[in-house]
């Protein structure tokens, strides 16, 4: 198991449950490699931008989340040899495997758009989210311009599909509570190439229809066909590939993303712009051409959300397929692209969402009960999911 995020952690724990007898008999060993002793609840970084969470609340020691049968090694994988069924690590080890699950996530890459790193803000990591919170705290008037940047690989979405919408609605309520909303304009934009549905405010058709009225009710302006191409930090101007220029006081951006270096350097990715997504069988989640290798979470090249809600449904497919191959000599389960989440619709309300390869999101009305469900997940349920209990 390579990667100590939510996908890797729940899958390693679930493998131990599945192979409990074989592990006890010494016939199976589960190893996890991760370069971080801490496990972060990454979806909550967006709350940090609004001073709702602090660093200590968002992390646990990685070892504390793992079953004791798991051989946890704090070591970074620097090279994959899928043909030889082995990996090389930063400590100089070469580790062989019979099966491997790659769940190494993705990295924000604002440097891929000129000026974005210097002139923009984002919330997908702790320190950038804290930096954004400091700016929002002192914002009394002006303009917050929201941009969403997709990978260049066709049909691959940006990180956490609902996050830009969530943070925009959270920002609106946050500013109202501060009493300065009337002095601040919020503009939400979406690029021309929105992979799953062209020229839309969100990736799924039903939500696309629902969002404009929600934004209009809150006086949030929105603009389709704005693909961020360049940022001028000195002038505080966002420039689109469609030829428009938009001024901002804060540029709240969903930045470009890429795979980790070891995945990119594996040479197997067919993704555009050296983004690094691994070619993944959409049904079995096997790495194409390597039946003993599986890919999950943000590392796949599939048209599904790069989010924990995807990992939650990919995990049992991978675990059962490894078990099926070992015990029966064949694959036994197929992934249907299912993702679930509870969208944060402001600071208190929540909206449960479900979708898969074939069915778009069918939005439900945002409610405080939905918000309580999201809070319960944030504060406690998530850690049970990571442990493979839920």
């Amino acid at each position: 198991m390579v990667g100590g995020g939510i996908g890797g952690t729940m899958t390693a724990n679930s493998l131990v449950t599945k192979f409990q007898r074989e592990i006890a008999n010494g016939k199976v060993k589960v190893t996890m490699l991760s370069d971080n002793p801490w496990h972060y609840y990454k979806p909550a970084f967006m709350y940090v931008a609004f001073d709702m969470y602090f660093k200590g609340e968002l992390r646990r020691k990685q070892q504390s989340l793992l079953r004791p049968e798991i051989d946890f090694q704090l070591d970074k994988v620097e090279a994959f040899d899928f043909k030889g069924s082995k990996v090389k690590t930063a400590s100089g080890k070469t580790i062989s495997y019979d099966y491997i699950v790659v769940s190494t996530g993705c990295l924000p890459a604002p440097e891929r758009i000129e000026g974005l790193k210097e002139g923009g803000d984002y919330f997908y990591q702790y320190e950038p989210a804290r930096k954004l919170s400091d700016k929002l705290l002192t914002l009394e008037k002006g303009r917050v311009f929201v941009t969403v940047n997709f990978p260049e690989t066709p049909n691959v979405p940006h990180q956490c599909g609902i996050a830009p919408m969530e943070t925009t609605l959270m920002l609106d309520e946050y500013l109202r509570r501060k009493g300065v909303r009337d002095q601040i304009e919020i503009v939400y934009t979406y690029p021309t190439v929105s992979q799953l549905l062209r020229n839309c405010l969100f990736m799924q058709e039903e939500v696309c229809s629902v969002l404009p009225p929600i934004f209009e009710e809150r006086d949030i302006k929105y603009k389709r066909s704005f693909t961020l191409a360049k940022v001028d930090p000195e002038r505080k101007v966002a420039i689109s590939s469609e030829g428009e220029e938009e001024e901002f006081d804060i540029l709240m951006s969903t930045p470009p993303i890429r795979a980790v270096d070891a995945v990119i350097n594996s040479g197997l990715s067919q993704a555009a712009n050296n983004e690094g997504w691994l070619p993944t069988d959409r049904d079995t989640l096997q790495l194409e051409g390597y039946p003993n290798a599986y890919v999950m979470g943000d590392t796949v090249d599939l048209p599904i959300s790069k989010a924990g809600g995807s990992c939650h449904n990919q995990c049992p497919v991978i675990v059962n397929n490894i078990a099926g191959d070992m015990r029966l000599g064949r694959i036994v389960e197929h992934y249907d692209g299912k993702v679930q989440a509870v969208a944060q619709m402001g600071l208190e309300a929540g909206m449960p969402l479900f979708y898969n390869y074939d069915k778009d999101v069918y939005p439900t009305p945002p409610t405080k009960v939905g918000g309580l469900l999201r809070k319960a997940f944030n504060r406690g349920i998530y850690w049970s999911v990571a442990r493979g209990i839920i």
Side-chain angles (χ1 to χ4, degrees), residues 131-143:
K131 175 185 170 186
L132 176 57
S133 77
D134 292 341
K135 290 186 178 182
L136 292 175
L137 181 65
T138 58
L139 185 67
E140 300 291 337
K141 62 180 180 179
R143 193 177 203 235

Side-chain angles (χ1 to χ4, degrees), residues 171-224:
L171 173 64
D172 169 73
E173 191 166 339
Y174 172 83
L175 295 174
R176 290 182 190 280
R177 289 186 178 185
K178 282 183 61 180
V180 297
R181 178 64 178 89
D182 291 345
Q183 305 299 317
I184 297 171
E185 181 183 36
I186 302 175
V187 183
Y188 181 99
T189 68
Y190 218 59
T192 296
V193 180
S194 54
Q195 314 285 350
L196 301 183
L197 187 67
R198 185 175 176 81
N199 199 20
C200 185
L201 290 174
F202 189 62
M203 292 190 297
Q204 304 279 350
E205 186 171 3
E206 294 286 349
V207 180
C208 174
S209 302
V210 167
L211 266 185
I214 292 177
F215 282 166
E216 289 165 5
E217 180 184 1
R218 292 163 173 76
D219 193 29
I220 297 172
K221 296 180 172 57
Y222 56 90
K223 177 189 286 288
R224 295 180 173 92

